[in-house]
Amino acid sequence: MDAQVENAIEIAWNPQSDQNLKSQAFEFLNQLRSEPQGWQVCLTLATREPRASEVVRHVALEVVNNTIQGRQVDEQGLLFVRDSLMNYVRSYYGGGNGIAQQDPVTIQNKITQTITYLFVALYTSQWQTFFNDFLVLATTSSTSTAENFLGTTLYLKILISVHDEIADTIVRRSPEEQQRDNDLKDVVRERDARKIAQSWQDILLYWKTRDGRIIDQCLSAVGRWASWTDLSLIVKDTLLSLLFELVSSPEAIPQKEGGNNLRDASLNTFIEILAKKTKANDKLDLIEILRVKDVVSQLITSPLLHELRPTSNYDTDLAETVAKLVNNTVFDIINVLETAPAADPVVLKANVQLKEFLPFVLRFFADEYDEICSSVIPCLTDLLTYFRKKARADADYASMLPPILQAIVAKMRYDETSAWGNEDAQTDEAEFQELRKRLQVLQQAVAAVDEQLYIDTISGIVGASLENFQSQRGQVDWRDIDLAMHEMFLFGELAVKSAGLFSKTKPVSPAAERLIAMMIKLVESDVASYSHPAIQLQYMEICVRYSTFFEANPHLIPRVLENFVRFVHHDHVKVKTRSWYLFHRFIKSLRQQLGDVAQNITQALGDLLPIKAELPDETSDNDDMSSDENDRSADATFTSQLYLYEAIGCMCGSPAVPVANQVIFIHSVITPLFADLETDLGPARAGDERSALQVHHVIMALGTLARGFSDWTPANTSSSSKPPAEAVSEEFARTAEAVLVALESLNSSVEIRTAARFAFSRLIGVLGNRVLPQLIRWIDGLLSRTSSKDEMALFLRLLDQVVYGFKTEIFDILNTLLTPFLQRVFSGIAEPISGTDDEIQLSELKLQYLGFLMVILNNELGSVLVSSVNQPAFETVISTIEHFAKDVTDFPTAKLAFSVLTRMVNSWGGPDLQNTGIAQTAQPSLPGFDRFMMERFSPLCWALPSIPAFDPKDAQGRQVLGEAAGLQRAIYAKTGQEYLTWLRDMELRGMGMNDATIDEYLNALCTFDAKGFRQFFQALVQRSNR
């Protein structure tokens, strides 16, 4: 059997084995794992002499481990495994065995894992000598000192593994496992902790001059066990002396191949020991006992972190480790300050330590490497949070803020090695910008503690940088200007709040007053003339962010606009395309002040307006493009170019521009676009892809121009928003006609339909009621035979706006187009679906269709649905609503369907009947509708909950029932006793409901309010479905 298992393992893990044989081998091994005695065969293979191959022993031990961990072995079996394994390790790891006999690391790790599982199962009862047994292995026969390398290595591995198994806080455990592990730790602490701690001292003393690998392992074990072992057993002179020695001169310890950096190991031990949860005073004492301040001070002044800091030999790994030690120490100090009573003497001690460690925090925070800086940001964040609570009442804390703020600001600056805009440094740039966001949070924390300090510091930095720029005639480092402008941009978080910069022409706050002064200096210093792209981008971002400043200082607008015009023509692609967007933002926010310059600006932009569509390069790998390459792509450039059209629309549409000039400006922009359409329509119809793309781009540009020109919408009664003048609408009517011609010629193209739909939605605001005569053509063009459900849903949403905006004028046109339009929607709904995307689009189309009907009914246009022209389609309308109301797979649509039916009842059911006790007759505005809603609408309320798949406990399903209850109350309000009779004699009895339930139901309908009946109906359905 042993040979058979061994052979199967060799075949299964041999890459050269036949696949059929491998499959058979794996199947055999899987069967072996499930056999009760399979582990015994594997234990023999793992421990026999001569030793089997590495892969055989590894797999065999894995089977044994899984069996033990799965509790498939009884206590006798566990003792057998223990004895067999101990015989093996005594033979190969005991004193006197040479290094040549050692197992590979993979086997050592597997044996360690097996021993750890045995520890969990047997330590408390059957293996009380566990740790002593392995400590003995570490000694030679002639001495009790841990001189045996293999035995000592195994002993330390087991200590580390035991900790990881029962004390690692990262591992999630069940309550039962947690209790088991707690019990084991208690027994270890009581029985063996002192002996184990002493063994560490002995191992460190013996091996510190012999082999650093043992020292590294031992420190790792100490660090782990420190979290749950009495520190008085660990923190002794032997350990502390060695730690200090390793920190100062780790090269004194022989370090053989495969060992880790001993200085890092010692520092990590410091960190682990400090992480031990203790009382506040004990924690501060521990910091002193470990001499953390001396250790950090010594390392900071060491050549690796001081003299070599400006060079490529700077030890960044060491710096990051020390920074983590500082971070954890300061965190502990702050925790003491936050939790200890103010009068407690420990607070004074903590304050002293805080002042001692703050320079260390700032040293690493200011480090050129962001990874090192980031290591102390958590403790600095906690420190500022604590200051926010205490600094206002404590001058000592307040005095710490200036150096902290200065360090934060300095870290905001690009370092000397940075190369802005370099494609090879995009990752570094992204990481730096992410760091800036974290630094911004720290700055805001400082401002929250001492607002005046923040205001004075930032305004001083900005003012000095701009003054230097002026006095030195631009001969300054771009990084300094960028820092000042970045801080100026962030300053708005404090200066520009909900109230803006001004209140009745006066600054709203001291911060706003400083920002206003900075803005004046920014413009007057002519820093926009600086040639570096980063400065030019920052200049535009600031002007856009603080555009309200220019409302109060309009005399500065022309100078800023000159700079924008220069930037939109920039050679650098990132500056140019970004400036198109920012220019649009600037113009849009100041359109009221731009009447005098609209013509000049429009002319200055003329060379940027021609559209040149380019087909995407099929050979390019779009998935691997950098952001800058995307900026250079033709599609991205056109998207940015649209902002120029919207900006021109904003300027030309300003009330300050005379109507005659508005018409001239519009004409000058759209005429070249019309010429492009005329040129490219023919080739596009013939199948030329570039021409079709050009037509698409032109339509988008025309729609974007209209969007910028007017923000008025039909039915908008606000006095601040007025419709365009008649002459302007006439000019845009030509635009609409041009788009329609293009759409009618190319409506088989989804891209053209998408662009036309975009243009149509934007043209509504500039055309007014001129859009109504064209509505049929828009529908014909946008809803072609190839239109998707998604396109139909989007157009329905647009049509909602038109119906709402022109509800007093649209009846005749809507009456004419409604039936053919609905037929197209019905066809889209009836199309079979394939795939999840199609299902989502169908659901959206149904919702938009019902929403369209609701808009018609809500705007008192319901009569169009039952007019003589549309009467033939009315039955289909009702049938679709009935179908949706019974759809148990789409509750949102079912809910809206009931809402539409309720609205129909309220629209056509006539006046509500008064509950006077006198018989009354329904008076529907639509003849016969009283019977129609009882016979067709009322049964739907029970149709959905009657479906077996309906779950009345489902939250969305309950909402649908609530709408159904509302429909029944609406019918009752219009028909009164007639409806009750219908329910009793026809509907409810026909459903098989007993008389008692019918009486209960009718009484609830008559007496409960809307909320009460809704809850009753939901409960009744739930009760009936049990």
Side-chain angles (χ1 to χ4, degrees):
M1 183 65 174
D2 293 5
Q4 190 177 3
V5 173
E6 183 174 6
N7 190 40
I9 295 173
E10 295 283 7
I11 293 172
W13 268 267
N14 185 349
Q16 307 299 323
S17 298
D18 179 76
Q19 288 300 318
N20 290 331
L21 282 176
K22 288 180 72 117
S23 298
Q24 294 175 26
F26 277 118
E27 184 178 354
F28 172 77
L29 292 174
N30 288 333
Q31 291 176 353
L32 179 70
R33 294 174 192 272
S34 61
E35 289 183 5
Q37 305 306 317
W39 63 270
Q40 296 181 2
V41 177
C42 291
L43 180 63
T44 301
L45 282 175
T47 58
R48 79 177 188 192
E49 176 66 38
R51 287 182 287 190
S53 67
E54 180 178 349
V55 67
V56 170
R57 285 187 288 160
H58 188 279
V59 175
L61 284 170
E62 180 67 24
V63 173
V64 174
N65 290 346
N66 290 339
T67 305
I68 297 173
Q69 191 179 29
R71 301 179 182 179
Q72 300 172 24
V73 185
D74 60 17
E75 188 172 278
Q76 287 300 327
L78 291 172
L79 293 174
F80 176 73
V81 175
R82 179 197 66 180
D83 294 342
S84 300
L85 209 55
M86 285 304 298
N87 289 334
Y88 178 85
V89 297
R90 287 191 184 100
S91 298
Y92 289 98
Y93 293 84
N97 288 293
I99 298 294
Q101 291 183 303
Q102 67 179 332
D103 287 322
V105 173
T106 56
I107 301 302
Q108 292 181 39
N109 292 340
K110 275 298 169 187
I111 290 174
T112 302
Q113 188 179 40
T114 310
I115 292 170
T116 303
Y117 291 154
L118 290 171
F119 164 83
V120 172
L122 299 174
Y123 175 69
T124 57
S125 58
Q126 297 295 329
W127 201 355
Q128 299 180 14
T129 60
F130 177 86
F131 292 107
N132 190 63
D133 289 348
F134 291 101
L135 183 57
V136 169
L137 283 176
T139 64
T140 60
S141 57
S142 59
T143 177
S144 60
T145 304
E147 300 175 356
N148 174 22
F149 178 87
L150 290 180
T152 303
T153 299
L154 180 63
Y155 171 66
L156 293 174
K157 276 180 176 287
I158 290 171
L159 291 181
I160 293 170
S161 181
V162 165
H163 163 84
D164 293 345
E165 180 66 23
I166 69 172
D168 192 337
T169 57
I170 298 177
V171 178
R172 298 185 63 178
R173 297 173 173 85
S174 67
E176 295 78 12
E177 290 172 333
Q178 188 64 58
Q179 185 59 51
R180 177 204 67 187
D181 294 344
N182 290 340
D183 293 342
L184 281 168
K185 286 186 287 186
D186 289 341
V187 176
V188 171
R189 281 190 284 254
E190 179 182 351
R191 184 187 294 167
D192 289 309
R194 187 173 300 275
K195 182 188 298 181
I196 293 170
Q198 183 59 49
S199 74
W200 293 330
Q201 314 293 324
D202 297 340
I203 290 170
L204 292 173
L205 278 173
Y206 180 81
W207 288 98
K208 73 174 185 177
T209 58
R210 291 174 170 81
D211 197 314
R213 290 174 294 176
I214 296 289
I215 301 300
D216 184 24
Q217 266 192 308
C218 189
L219 291 177
S220 180
V222 171
R224 282 171 161 84
W225 280 59
S227 64
W228 57 282
T229 308
D230 186 354
L231 286 181
S232 65
L233 300 176
I234 299 175
V235 183
K236 292 189 175 182
D237 290 342
T238 303
L239 175 64
L240 294 180
S241 298
L242 179 65
L243 289 177
F244 298 143
E245 182 181 349
L246 289 174
V247 166
S248 59
S249 54
E251 62 278 358
I253 307 295
Q255 185 74 330
K256 297 184 179 181
E257 184 180 355
N260 294 321
N261 186 300
L262 290 181
R263 179 184 274 126
D264 287 348
S266 63
L267 289 173
N268 285 325
T269 304
F270 272 113
I271 293 172
E272 295 286 353
I273 293 174
L274 280 171
K276 170 80 171 181
K277 293 181 180 179
T278 61
K279 295 179 180 179
N281 195 51
D282 292 342
K283 177 66 72 173
L284 299 183
D285 289 342
L286 183 61
I287 293 173
E288 289 183 349
I289 292 171
L290 293 176
R291 293 165 49 192
V292 180
K293 175 194 168 187
D294 295 338
V295 169
V296 173
S297 179
Q298 179 181 341
L299 287 170
I300 287 177
T301 57
S302 68
L304 289 174
L305 298 189
H306 185 62
E307 287 87 347
L308 297 179
R309 184 176 175 183
T311 72
S312 59
N313 293 323
Y314 179 47
D315 193 338
T316 56
D317 291 337
L318 175 61
E320 189 171 354
T321 304
V322 180
K324 290 178 181 177
L325 176 60
V326 171
N327 179 79
N328 291 4
T329 305
V330 173
F331 176 82
D332 288 334
I333 296 171
I334 296 170
N335 187 53
V336 171
L337 290 170
E338 287 181 331
T339 56
D344 194 323
V346 76
V347 172
L348 180 61
K349 189 175 183 179
N351 281 326
V352 172
Q353 291 188 350
L354 179 61
K355 290 179 181 179
E356 291 174 343
F357 276 89
L358 182 59
F360 301 152
V361 174
L362 297 182
R363 152 63 180 89
F364 290 110
F365 180 76
D367 199 279
E368 294 80 5
Y369 289 88
D370 294 344
E371 298 85 354
I372 299 170
C373 167
S374 297
S375 296
V376 294
I377 286 180
C379 78
L380 195 56
T381 302
D382 287 347
L383 181 61
L384 290 172
T385 301
Y386 175 70
F387 281 174
R388 186 175 184 180
K389 303 173 184 176
K390 302 290 185 180
R392 301 181 191 276
D394 195 316
D396 287 341
Y397 292 155
S399 66
M400 297 182 189
L401 283 174
I404 292 175
L405 181 57
Q406 292 290 349
I408 295 170
V409 172
K411 194 62 187 176
M412 286 275 194
R413 186 180 184 272
Y414 278 96
D415 62 44
E416 300 299 330
T417 63
S418 58
W420 188 94
N422 190 331
E423 293 182 7
D424 295 333
Q426 287 184 19
T427 300
D428 292 340
E429 172 70 15
E431 291 175 351
F432 178 64
Q433 294 304 327
E434 190 61 34
L435 176 63
R436 273 186 163 181
K437 293 177 182 178
R438 299 179 68 186
L439 296 173
Q440 179 187 355
V441 174
L442 294 177
Q443 279 195 173
Q444 290 172 337
V446 173
V449 176
D450 191 338
E451 184 174 300
Q452 192 59 49
L453 170 67
Y454 176 75
I455 292 173
D456 293 341
T457 303
I458 299 303
S459 59
I461 290 171
V462 173
S465 297
L466 295 178
E467 186 64 37
N468 288 341
F469 175 82
Q470 272 189 302
S471 63
Q472 298 180 30
R473 297 182 180 181
Q475 300 303 309
V476 294
D477 193 324
W478 70 269
R479 297 170 182 84
D480 295 328
I481 302 298
D482 173 82
L483 173 63
M485 297 181 75
H486 180 69
E487 290 290 0
M488 189 174 172
F489 184 86
L490 299 181
F491 196 77
E493 297 292 333
L494 177 65
V496 183
K497 296 182 179 179
S498 57
L501 281 174
F502 298 95
S503 175
K504 296 181 180 180
T505 72
K506 293 184 178 180
V508 296
S509 66
E513 186 175 1
R514 293 290 185 92
L515 181 57
I516 292 167
M518 285 189 273
M519 285 297 298
I520 294 173
K521 189 69 175 177
L522 177 80
V523 178
E524 293 182 346
S525 68
D526 197 29
V527 72
S529 64
Y530 198 95
S531 60
H532 197 281
I535 307 305
Q536 296 165 344
L537 286 169
Q538 286 272 31
Y539 177 86
M540 290 185 287
E541 297 279 3
I542 290 171
C543 289
V544 169
R545 181 168 199 184
Y546 306 130
S547 59
T548 54
F549 162 81
F550 295 101
E551 294 177 4
N553 297 273
H555 64 285
L556 297 176
I557 293 178
R559 179 183 290 191
V560 176
L561 282 175
E562 288 178 10
N563 293 324
F564 265 103
V565 169
R566 180 162 52 87
F567 294 148
V568 297
H569 289 88
H570 206 284
D571 293 334
H572 195 289
V573 64
K574 188 172 182 178
V575 175
K576 180 167 67 174
T577 53
R578 180 63 179 170
S579 69
W580 292 352
Y581 167 73
L582 294 172
F583 175 70
H584 149 256
R585 290 274 310 278
F586 188 73
I587 294 297
K588 188 173 183 179
S589 60
L590 296 172
R591 64 183 303 184
Q592 303 292 337
Q593 283 80 25
L594 301 178
D596 296 338
V597 298
Q599 181 175 359
N600 293 336
I601 299 297
T602 302
Q603 291 175 348
L605 298 179
D607 61 316
L608 298 174
L609 297 181
I611 295 173
K612 297 179 181 179
E614 297 179 21
L615 294 173
D617 184 3
E618 296 181 358
T619 62
S620 65
D621 185 2
N622 292 327
D623 292 335
D624 194 34
M625 277 189 169
S626 68
S627 58
D628 275 355
E629 288 173 333
N630 278 324
D631 286 342
R632 295 190 181 99
S633 69
D635 188 58
T637 301
F638 170 68
T639 299
S640 298
Q641 190 178 18
L642 290 177
Y643 289 119
L644 294 178
Y645 279 94
E646 187 167 354
I648 289 174
C650 287
M651 281 191 300
C652 298
S654 170
V657 178
V659 173
N661 290 349
Q662 290 182 1
V663 174
I664 293 172
F665 296 157
I666 297 169
H667 186 79
S668 67
V669 175
I670 65 176
T671 298
L673 297 177
F674 287 175
D676 283 351
L677 283 179
E678 187 175 355
T679 300
D680 287 286
L681 266 181
R685 278 195 299 266
D688 184 82
E689 292 185 19
R690 196 214 65 81
S691 294
L693 186 61
Q694 180 76 10
V695 172
H696 168 275
H697 285 7
V698 169
I699 293 174
M700 293 289 292
L702 291 170
T704 304
L705 177 69
R707 175 169 62 181
F709 199 92
S710 174
D711 56 3
W712 174 81
T713 56
N716 186 350
T717 58
S718 172
S719 58
S720 62
S721 181
K722 298 180 180 179
E726 188 70 18
V728 172
S729 294
E730 180 65 33
E731 198 66 28
F732 276 111
R734 294 177 56 230
T735 299
E737 181 63 29
V739 174
L740 277 170
V741 170
L743 175 63
E744 289 166 344
S745 299
L746 300 170
N747 78 331
S748 60
S749 166
V750 64
E751 289 80 12
I752 298 298
R753 294 197 303 270
T754 300
R757 186 173 61 250
F758 169 87
F760 172 66
S761 66
R762 275 66 181 177
L763 285 166
I764 292 173
V766 291
L767 290 177
N769 58 11
R770 290 174 179 269
V771 75
L772 297 180
Q774 298 176 337
L775 201 52
I776 295 177
R777 294 174 64 193
W778 283 110
I779 292 173
D780 288 340
L782 292 173
L783 298 184
S784 72
R785 293 180 179 177
T786 58
S787 293
S788 67
K789 298 178 181 66
D790 191 42
E791 288 182 79
M792 292 183 186
L794 291 171
F795 186 74
L796 276 166
R797 196 177 301 166
L798 278 178
L799 209 53
D800 291 347
Q801 299 175 22
V802 176
V803 172
Y804 173 75
F806 302 105
K807 55 188 172 185
T808 60
E809 307 166 76
I810 200 173
F811 182 88
D812 291 337
I813 293 174
L814 190 61
N815 192 44
T816 302
L817 62 82
L818 184 63
T819 293
F821 172 66
L822 289 179
Q823 292 297 339
R824 299 191 186 194
V825 175
F826 295 154
S827 298
I829 292 174
E831 288 177 359
I833 61 173
S834 57
T836 304
D837 290 344
D838 217 18
E839 187 175 347
I840 293 172
Q841 289 186 13
L842 175 60
S843 180
E844 182 63 22
L845 177 57
K846 291 189 293 185
L847 287 172
Q848 293 302 325
Y849 160 67
L850 292 171
F852 175 65
L853 295 179
M854 188 69 87
V855 168
I856 290 176
L857 294 165
N858 286 341
N859 288 283
E860 300 180 359
L861 293 169
S863 56
V864 76
L865 293 170
V866 292
S867 69
S868 58
V869 176
N870 298 307
Q871 186 69 44
F874 183 70
E875 175 59 31
T876 307
V877 170
I878 297 299
S879 297
T880 55
I881 299 174
E882 289 176 331
H883 176 71
F884 298 158
K886 295 184 289 186
D887 190 352
V888 75
T889 65
D890 189 354
F891 285 139
T893 300
K895 179 184 175 183
L896 186 54
F898 277 109
S899 298
V900 172
L901 294 174
T902 302
R903 192 68 189 85
M904 286 182 173
V905 170
N906 291 327
S907 296
W908 298 324
D912 288 356
L913 301 184
Q914 301 300 317
N915 190 11
T916 62
I918 302 175
Q920 301 178 70
T921 304
Q923 301 175 11
S925 58
L926 196 64
F929 192 70
D930 52 339
R931 296 294 299 178
F932 185 83
M933 56 188 179
M934 287 191 292
E935 294 175 0
R936 296 289 294 273
F937 293 0
S938 181
L940 293 173
C941 301
W942 293 97
L944 183 69
S946 298
I947 298 174
F950 178 77
D951 181 6
K953 296 181 181 179
D954 183 276
Q956 289 186 317
R958 288 178 60 83
Q959 291 179 356
V960 178
L961 292 178
E963 292 296 328
L967 174 59
Q968 294 172 82
R969 278 188 52 80
I971 297 173
Y972 172 68
K974 302 299 181 184
T975 57
Q977 183 61 43
E978 184 181 2
Y979 184 42
L980 298 179
T981 302
W982 165 268
L983 287 171
R984 179 183 297 278
D985 297 342
M986 303 296 294
E987 189 171 327
L988 300 181
R989 200 174 301 281
M991 292 167 46
M993 191 178 292
N994 60 52
D995 290 342
T997 305
I998 292 175
D999 291 340
E1000 180 188 10
Y1001 179 82
L1002 297 181
N1003 180 64
L1005 181 59
C1006 295
T1007 58
F1008 288 0
D1009 61 9
K1011 181 179 179 181
F1013 183 70
R1014 181 174 67 250
Q1015 294 173 343
F1016 167 80
F1017 184 64
Q1018 291 168 340
L1020 179 62
V1021 171
Q1022 187 169 341
R1023 191 174 70 199
S1024 301
N1025 280 44
R1026 289 175 182 170

